[in-house]
Amino acid sequence: VNTRLHNPHPDNMVFLREGICPGATAQLIQSLKEQNVVTLVHLVSADVEDLAQKCSVSYKMLVAVRRVLLAQFSPFPSNGAVLYEELLGSTAILSTGNQKLDSLLDSGLYTGELTEFVGASGCGKTQVCLSLAVNISCELKQKVLYIDSTGGLTASRLLQLIQNQVDSIEGQSEALQRIEVVSVFEVYRLLDALQDLRMSFIRQVTGARNSIKAVVIDSVSAVLSSILGGHQLEGMSLMMQLARELKTMARELGVAVVVTNSVVQDPGGGVKPALGRSWSYVPNIRVLLQHRTEGADPHSVKRIATILKSSRQPTRVSAEFDITSCGTLSNQTASSQHSTGERSDT
């Protein structure tokens, strides 16, 4: 059987790991590694019957795992009409809680898409993520998965933000329960968390009414930067595997994915988003966050959001936004937008 795997990057490999699909136990993965079968390409290329004997595992079970992985990572053709109908029936727009950001994002965060906020340390990336997660929970009554890779998020901080929007103790408790927090500090744990989310969707019987509508990862660069650079091909492969997982999850599960990314020095001057050109094709929307101090007062800070990439909005459109003293986005009107560029083609 000539099987063509979805492979958006020449160095992209799907590494076999525990939990990548039902039946992929730690014992099975270890047995495969002992036979130098460490990627999906290795598994597809191998003689399954011979491999099952060498690994001392059930032939039927190994075939079943192979079939599930092929279904998960192989492309399936579709036509434009079907995709358009799915889009109309599944897309929802989630408000960030700030009218200026919503206007900049063409009404808010779209389910099925990946939105990236990039910026230097202290520009407000985490505050934006926290505020939009709290707004989705408190105002829209939807569930959020918040993946913290910096170690800076605490339950007391979340409660403080919720208390600014909800008065009753019962309402605050319900809002907290709608935000699930997972702490990860390396890419394998992040992939596991996303796989757990996918499996939870599969297990749900009641449909999407009680499911998570937004996934926030703060920050994606924190778990990827250490494995990239030089000739670390495995790091590039893991990054693209994560990219594919996020894009597929957003589309198939109907969730809005939000990630944060840091910036690095641009040889031509200024700064540019981290993680390189390969990652730049991943976000549907990319927003640069900046902060500037006005005058001699160090507490007088102007925060600016600028569209760097969008299929719906002109690029280089900017909007000012405020973060209140309690750390939430100020819900301002969207009157002060200006454009300095043209619509993005990507």
Side-chain angles (χ1 to χ4, degrees):
V1 179
N2 182 17
T3 305
R4 183 167 62 91
L5 295 178
H6 181 48
N7 194 17
H9 189 280
D11 293 324
N12 181 28
M13 294 176 285
V14 179
F15 286 89
L16 301 177
R17 56 187 174 81
E18 180 184 0
I20 192 173
C21 74
T25 63
Q27 182 179 358
L28 174 62
I29 299 302
Q30 182 59 39
S31 298
L32 291 173
K33 285 183 178 179
E34 291 174 357
Q35 301 301 321
N36 296 318
V37 177
V38 296
T39 70
L40 179 54
V41 173
H42 294 157
L43 180 59
V44 172
S45 305
D47 183 322
V48 181
E49 184 175 359
D50 181 58
L51 185 62
Q53 292 179 352
K54 291 180 178 179
C55 294
S56 299
V57 298
S58 165
Y59 170 76
K60 290 184 178 180
M61 185 271 292
L62 191 58
V63 168
V65 169
R66 181 178 181 274
R67 185 180 296 120
V68 170
L69 288 173
L70 283 174
Q72 183 173 333
F73 292 100
S74 297
F76 293 93
S78 186
N79 61 56
V82 172
L83 293 176
Y84 183 65
E85 289 297 325
E86 290 179 354
L87 178 67
L88 292 179
S90 62
T91 300
I93 304 175
L94 309 177
S95 172
T96 64
N98 180 276
Q99 292 183 23
K100 287 187 176 182
L101 278 183
D102 282 350
S103 180
L104 192 69
L105 295 170
D106 192 19
S107 301
L109 304 170
Y110 282 61
T111 57
E113 292 188 352
L114 191 153
T115 302
E116 181 185 63
F117 291 100
V118 302
S121 176
C123 70
K125 299 188 298 293
T126 295
Q127 297 300 341
V128 168
C129 288
L130 287 172
S131 292
L132 64 87
V134 168
N135 188 73
I136 292 171
S137 174
C138 295
E139 301 299 327
L140 306 181
K141 304 296 187 289
Q142 299 290 337
K143 291 184 177 181
V144 180
L145 173 62
Y146 197 106
I147 300 178
D148 173 31
S149 65
T150 64
L153 179 62
T154 63
S156 59
R157 178 62 179 143
L158 264 182
L159 179 59
Q160 181 186 13
L161 296 175
I162 290 173
Q163 287 172 336
N164 288 298
Q165 294 191 233
V166 181
D167 294 327
S168 70
I169 295 179
E170 181 181 0
Q172 294 169 7
S173 177
E174 292 175 353
L176 271 176
Q177 291 176 12
R178 284 191 290 268
I179 301 177
E180 179 182 347
V181 178
V182 177
S183 296
V184 303
F185 301 103
E186 49 94 21
V187 67
Y188 292 104
R189 181 67 187 93
L190 176 55
L191 288 169
D192 287 342
L194 297 177
Q195 184 66 30
D196 290 343
L197 174 62
R198 181 183 290 275
M199 295 306 297
S200 72
F201 268 78
I202 294 174
R203 287 193 296 265
Q204 284 176 0
V205 181
T206 57
R209 291 179 302 167
N210 299 318
S211 62
I212 288 172
K213 296 302 292 182
V215 176
V216 179
I217 304 176
D218 182 29
S219 79
V220 70
S221 54
V223 296
L224 290 176
S225 296
S226 62
I227 63 173
L228 297 175
H231 300 283
Q232 300 185 51
L233 297 182
E234 182 177 356
M236 176 64 73
S237 299
L238 286 169
M239 183 179 76
M240 299 315 296
Q241 183 176 344
L242 174 62
R244 181 182 57 251
E245 182 67 25
L246 291 174
K247 299 277 281 188
T248 303
M249 181 182 66
R251 183 179 64 253
E252 293 184 355
L253 305 186
V255 299
V257 177
V258 178
V259 302
T260 66
N261 189 4
S262 57
V263 294
V264 295
Q265 291 296 320
D266 190 338
V271 296
K272 62 180 181 180
L275 302 182
R277 178 173 294 181
S278 295
W279 181 264
S280 69
Y281 299 105
V282 177
N284 300 96
I285 311 293
R286 173 172 268 180
V287 181
L288 173 65
L289 301 181
Q290 297 170 294
H291 68 290
R292 301 171 186 168
T293 303
E294 292 187 321
D297 184 3
H299 300 290
S300 178
V301 178
K302 177 189 293 185
R303 299 184 186 272
I304 302 172
T306 304
I307 293 287
L308 297 183
K309 176 185 177 182
S310 174
S311 59
R312 293 186 300 273
Q313 297 283 72
T315 58
R316 298 299 172 183
V317 171
S318 297
E320 295 181 17
F321 67 99
D322 289 333
I323 294 178
T324 65
S325 57
C326 40
T328 58
L329 288 171
S330 174
N331 193 11
Q332 305 158 306
T333 60
S335 57
S336 61
Q337 273 195 16
H338 62 278
S339 175
T340 61
E342 300 177 352
R343 181 176 296 274
S344 170
D345 293 327
T346 56

